[in-house]
């Protein structure tokens, strides 16, 4: 581990795999940022030193799913889990209703199923068509499952809208206020064997040319070592099963560039959209009232009476 503050270990997901095997499932991509709506900064939300959505909303968390090593279903899993978690967060009963990642693989004809997908195209599918619950079309991680295999008269959950978060602070504000976000991640070969600690890529470690989709659940700071500054990290969840990493979770050093701060997506439910619109209207009204107050002349009544 080259004295880095993290350890390696085996997992059933990568058992017996070669680097060539791994390369086949790093096929998730993204569109040009110029075509994507950017999230408006919410500077009123304070950023805590650490945050974990699993602790903030324990009823609204999803386990790390084994995507199947022959299928790049990471984008479908990350998106549907995030939408389900956010729907749970805004619900009154805080009850998780898992959604069908297999539907994205089988029914989204603008993407390539297990051969990988473009994140914003899958997001467009969720906005236009919605997605059924997991029981309606269970995840198989296979292109052999057809869209016609879905249950009859499925009840769909539609995404309200989505936007791209630019910068570390905007990502943190969004997570602490509304729940996990989705991003793509560059993968280095030593990350496959991550087991615990704050991951930092090793020196001269090769990087795969493709990407995976992950959920970002929060952030924190590692223990201070040898008088050095504490290492900040992101709490990241790929879809490689519960026995990979720390029960499917990795702590990834903030100071290393893995594209989180450039390609993180916020998924807004319809309820969150209404709340955001009401907050924007209230802020606009307050700003208008403040401007109106500033226009009223400051009259000195004593001087007016004297005149």
């Amino acid at each position: 581990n080259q004295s880095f503050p993290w350890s390696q270990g085996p997992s059933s997901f990568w058992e017996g795999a070669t680097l060539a095997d791994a390369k086949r499932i790093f096929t998730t991509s993204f569109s040009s940022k110029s075509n994507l709506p950017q999230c408006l900064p919410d500077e009123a939300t304070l950023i805590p030193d650490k945050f974990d959505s699993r602790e903030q909303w324990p009823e609204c968390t999803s386990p790390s799913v084994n995507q199947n090593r022959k299928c790049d279903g990471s984008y479908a899993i990350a998106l549907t889990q995030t939408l389900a978690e956010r729907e749970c967060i805004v619900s009154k009963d805080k009850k998780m209703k898992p959604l069908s990642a297999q539907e994205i693989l089988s029914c989204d004809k603008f993407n390539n199923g297990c051969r990988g997908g473009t994140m914003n195209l899958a997001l467009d599918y969720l906005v236009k068509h919605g997605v059924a619950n997991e029981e309606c079309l269970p995840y198989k991680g296979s292109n052999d499952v057809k869209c016609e295999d879905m249950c009859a008269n499925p009840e769909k959950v539609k995404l309200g809208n989505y936007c791209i978060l630019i910068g570390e602070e905007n990502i943190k504000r969004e997570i602490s206020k509304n729940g996990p976000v989705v991003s793509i991640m560059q993968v280095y070969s030593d990350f496959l064997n991550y087991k615990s600690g704050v991951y930092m890529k090793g020196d001269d470690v090769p990087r795969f040319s493709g990407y995976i989709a992950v959920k970002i659940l929060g952030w924190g700071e590692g223990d201070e070592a040898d008088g050095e500054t504490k290492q900040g990290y992101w709490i990241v969840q790929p879809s490689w099963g519960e026995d990979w990493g720390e029960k499917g979770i990795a702590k990834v050093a903030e100071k290393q560039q893995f594209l989180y701060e450039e390609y993180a997506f916020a998924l807004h439910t319809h309820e969150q959209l209404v709340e955001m619109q009401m907050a924007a209207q209230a802020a606009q009204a307050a700003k208008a009232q403040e401007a109106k107050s500033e226009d009223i002349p400051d009259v000195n009544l004593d001087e007016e009476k004297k005149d």
Side-chain angles (χ1 to χ4, degrees):
N1 286 326
Q2 303 186 36
S3 300
F4 286 146
W6 63 281
S7 62
Q8 294 180 319
S11 68
S12 59
F13 186 84
W14 293 113
E15 180 68 27
T18 65
L19 293 180
D21 294 331
K23 183 178 180 179
R24 295 190 186 99
I25 66 168
F26 298 146
T27 54
T28 292
S29 60
F30 51 86
S31 174
S32 169
K33 285 193 292 186
S34 62
N35 298 326
L36 302 176
Q38 290 191 17
C39 303
L40 297 176
D42 181 11
E43 297 178 357
T45 301
L46 300 178
I47 301 175
D49 293 335
K50 60 180 181 178
F51 186 87
D52 190 335
S53 61
R54 297 171 298 172
E55 297 175 358
Q56 181 70 17
W57 301 289
E59 308 93 339
C60 302
T61 61
S62 305
S64 181
V65 174
N66 186 326
Q67 69 184 60
N68 182 347
R69 209 168 66 210
K70 295 182 180 180
C71 176
D72 184 8
S74 65
Y75 69 103
I77 293 170
L79 291 175
T80 53
Q81 282 196 348
T82 300
L83 178 56
E85 289 167 3
R86 285 188 167 221
E87 286 285 346
C88 175
I89 288 169
V90 299
S91 67
K92 293 181 179 179
D93 57 3
K94 294 292 185 290
K95 185 177 180 180
M96 271 289 294
K97 298 177 181 178
L99 299 175
S100 173
Q102 185 64 49
E103 178 179 344
I104 304 296
L105 301 179
S106 300
C107 304
D108 181 6
K109 303 307 179 184
F110 290 99
N111 273 314
N112 298 312
C114 282
R115 290 186 292 275
T118 302
M119 294 281 284
N120 59 297
L121 295 180
L123 285 161
D124 288 341
Y125 179 91
L126 292 175
V127 171
K128 184 176 181 180
H129 301 284
V131 61
N133 61 51
E134 171 68 14
E135 293 180 354
C136 184
L137 191 64
Y139 185 78
K140 301 295 184 183
S142 170
N143 281 337
D144 293 334
V145 180
K146 304 303 179 184
C147 193
E148 294 75 16
D149 297 333
M150 191 181 302
C151 66
N153 302 316
E155 182 180 346
K156 295 292 192 86
V157 174
K158 284 189 174 182
L159 176 64
N161 74 1
Y162 67 92
C163 54
I164 190 167
L165 295 153
I166 305 297
E168 174 184 319
E169 291 187 352
N170 286 338
I171 295 173
K172 290 181 176 180
R173 289 191 179 101
E174 176 65 27
I175 294 173
S176 63
K177 185 176 181 180
N178 294 317
V181 303
V182 181
S183 183
I184 59 171
M185 178 179 178
Q186 293 178 325
V187 181
Y188 293 82
S189 61
D190 58 358
F191 187 65
L192 307 187
N193 295 322
Y194 169 87
K195 180 54 65 175
S196 64
V198 179
Y199 170 73
M200 301 174 66
K201 74 176 185 66
D203 296 335
D204 301 320
V205 173
R207 177 175 69 83
F208 293 97
S209 58
Y211 310 95
I212 60 169
V214 296
K215 290 190 301 180
I216 305 179
L217 307 179
W219 62 91
E221 288 184 340
D223 296 331
E224 187 173 355
D226 301 326
E228 296 182 359
T229 304
K230 291 183 178 181
Q231 175 63 60
Y233 60 80
W234 295 107
I235 303 172
V236 175
Q237 184 180 23
S239 46
W240 294 343
E242 293 271 284
D243 70 342
W244 178 88
E246 299 181 4
K247 295 184 177 180
I249 303 295
K251 298 172 182 174
V252 179
E254 283 182 350
K255 71 179 183 179
Q256 298 201 333
Q257 294 297 315
F258 291 102
L259 298 183
Y260 305 148
E261 297 172 23
E262 298 179 38
Y263 291 98
F265 291 90
L267 280 62
H268 294 136
T269 67
H270 287 282
E271 290 81 357
Q272 288 172 337
L273 275 181
V274 171
E275 183 180 339
M276 291 165 61
Q277 291 168 355
M278 292 177 62
Q281 291 172 359
Q284 187 176 6
K287 188 175 181 180
Q289 183 62 38
E290 182 181 353
K292 184 177 180 180
S293 300
E294 291 176 353
D295 290 339
I296 300 176
D298 185 10
V299 179
N300 190 319
L301 298 179
D302 290 337
E303 291 183 4
E304 184 177 325
K305 184 176 181 181
K306 184 179 179 181
D307 293 342

